[in-house]
Amino acid sequence: MAFFLASSPHTHNKKKTPDLMKGVAMCAIPGLIAQCYFFGWGTLIQLCFAILVGLILEALVMTIRKRPAARALSDYSALVTAWLLAIAIPPLSPWWIVVIGLIFAIVIAKHLYGGLGQNPFNPAMVAYVVLLISFPVQMTSWMAPHHLTSDSTSFSDALSLIFTGFNLDGYSLQQIRTGIDGITTATPLDALKTGLKNGLTPSEVMSDSIFNNIAGFGWTWVNVAYLVGGLGLLKMRVIQWHIPAGVLLSLVVLSSLAVLFAPGSSPTPLFHLLSGATMLGAFFIATDPVSASTTVKGRLIYGVFIGAMIFVIRTWGGFPDGVAFAVLLANMCVPLIDYYTKPRTYGHNR
């Protein structure tokens, strides 16, 4: 009998890594459809381009490492990394954002540590944070949902904007963002943070048309779609419930306390749950089996920590969302969390 050593991810559902990765991609489809419906064709174009670049980089690095490229490509981990980065960036970001991001994600955050199963940080979130810090203008250039404007970006215009910087009429992205109907193109989280700093109350800020009196026009349904996909992941046993429950419960408790003690300066728990990348982060990013905690108690603590950090960054930090930063901070704490939550070895008192 051969004794086979394998790196993480390790699961108890008898599914291989390619099956898990395909499950993640399949369950992310509802969210992708919602993003394309509200924000146009750019997300789909970015996704296709990111997958192509991600697979090329994965094959190139494996060839340089003198490892079988076909085997690495067949586990679909590069595809999922590319997918997560593509849906996290603004739909009309320039093409080089994807290329630079995936170089950091696949070459540095993944293979520099030894490849799949060895990386301590979530590769897609490493790439996102690097891009956000290095190129803040491009990474915050979100368009308003096209349902709020009289002019929507066609597939051809989106393709031209991504790869040339101008649409078919010769207008740049910044010209388009500032010239349509006077609708603000800030994300709801960014608009809320700015409004609160200017002395407005949450209810006054949320009277803007981009909020739709809930958590942001379009963003609410995008989060609902990723919630549906996340429940699909749980149903398929691709992930376990501990991390998403910890993230969402922590975020709800802290935001409820904030509303209780500072009602004039804190948004509702529902706003936190259905805005930004909350559901995407809770179900698809924080649950990465390689960089997340591996013990049952540890996964709960890990999820609670991420939810708390999301709330802290959204409330007092310099960035409006904070999901990526929260996940990376939690990744740093995983060795400590696992050390103090590892189950007692059978036959040992301590």
Side-chain angles (χ1 to χ4, degrees):
M1 180 182 294
F3 185 69
F4 180 68
L5 292 175
S7 61
S8 58
H10 302 296
T11 61
H12 299 281
N13 54 13
K14 297 182 180 181
K15 290 184 178 180
K16 297 181 179 180
T17 299
D19 298 326
L20 298 177
M21 297 299 174
K22 285 189 288 186
V24 171
M26 184 176 66
C27 290
I29 290 176
L32 173 66
I33 293 173
Q35 284 186 254
C36 291
Y37 179 75
F38 287 104
F39 297 102
W41 291 103
T43 302
L44 184 60
I45 296 172
Q46 298 281 14
L47 176 63
C48 295
F49 181 61
I51 291 175
L52 176 62
V53 173
L55 295 179
I56 291 174
L57 286 172
E58 182 82 0
L60 181 62
V61 173
M62 292 301 291
T63 301
I64 294 173
R65 295 180 62 194
K66 298 181 180 180
R67 303 286 181 85
R71 181 176 178 181
L73 294 176
S74 64
D75 65 21
Y76 301 110
S77 61
L79 181 146
V80 170
T81 297
W83 190 305
L84 292 177
L85 181 63
I87 60 180
I89 64 175
L92 298 178
S93 300
W95 63 270
W96 47 265
I97 286 288
V98 168
V99 174
I100 294 174
L102 287 174
I103 290 174
F104 272 93
I106 293 176
V107 179
I108 297 176
K110 180 181 177 182
H111 284 287
L112 192 63
Y113 288 95
L116 180 65
Q118 308 298 324
N119 51 287
F121 300 102
N122 186 297
M125 293 302 96
V126 170
Y128 182 86
V129 167
V130 169
L131 292 172
L132 184 61
I133 294 174
S134 303
F135 311 103
V137 174
Q138 289 79 8
M139 289 296 290
T140 56
S141 296
W142 286 87
M143 296 287 292
H146 63 80
H147 296 73
L148 296 178
T149 69
S150 59
D151 184 25
S152 59
T153 303
S154 66
F155 180 87
S156 300
D157 280 331
L159 193 66
S160 181
L161 280 165
I162 291 171
F163 290 101
T164 69
F166 299 91
N167 66 4
L168 298 179
D169 295 322
Y171 293 103
S172 69
L173 177 60
Q174 295 304 319
Q175 289 175 316
I176 296 173
R177 293 180 71 236
T178 57
I180 51 173
D181 300 341
I183 300 295
T184 177
T185 54
T187 63
L189 281 169
D190 192 23
L192 179 68
K193 183 179 285 288
T194 302
L196 294 177
K197 286 183 178 179
N198 292 333
L200 300 176
T201 64
S203 58
E204 290 173 335
V205 177
M206 293 179 67
S207 62
D208 191 286
S209 59
I210 67 170
F211 286 94
N212 199 28
N213 294 321
I214 303 177
F217 191 91
W219 292 95
T220 298
W221 291 109
V222 169
N223 274 276
V224 169
Y226 281 116
L227 172 59
V228 172
L231 295 177
L233 290 175
L234 292 172
K235 178 69 174 179
M236 297 167 60
R237 298 186 63 191
V238 173
I239 64 173
Q240 296 181 321
W241 62 270
H242 307 86
I243 293 176
V247 172
L248 300 180
L249 181 61
S250 175
L251 192 55
V252 167
V253 169
L254 291 176
S255 57
S256 298
L257 291 174
V259 170
L260 180 63
F261 291 103
S265 60
S266 302
T268 64
L270 186 62
F271 177 85
H272 278 288
L273 290 177
L274 297 179
S275 60
T278 300
M279 295 300 172
L280 174 65
F283 288 97
F284 291 88
I285 296 174
T287 54
D288 173 30
V290 176
S291 57
S293 181
T294 56
T295 66
V296 174
K297 291 181 181 179
R299 284 192 288 266
L300 285 170
I301 296 172
Y302 176 81
V304 168
F305 181 80
I306 291 176
M309 288 299 98
I310 292 173
F311 175 79
V312 168
I313 294 171
R314 286 181 176 180
T315 305
W316 296 288
F319 295 92
D321 198 346
V323 170
F325 291 96
V327 170
L328 294 182
L329 288 171
N331 291 161
M332 294 173 61
C333 299
V334 164
L336 185 66
I337 294 173
D338 283 351
Y339 179 80
Y340 284 104
T341 59
K342 60 184 177 182
R344 181 179 301 173
T345 304
Y346 180 76
H348 287 252
N349 294 326
R350 294 182 181 180

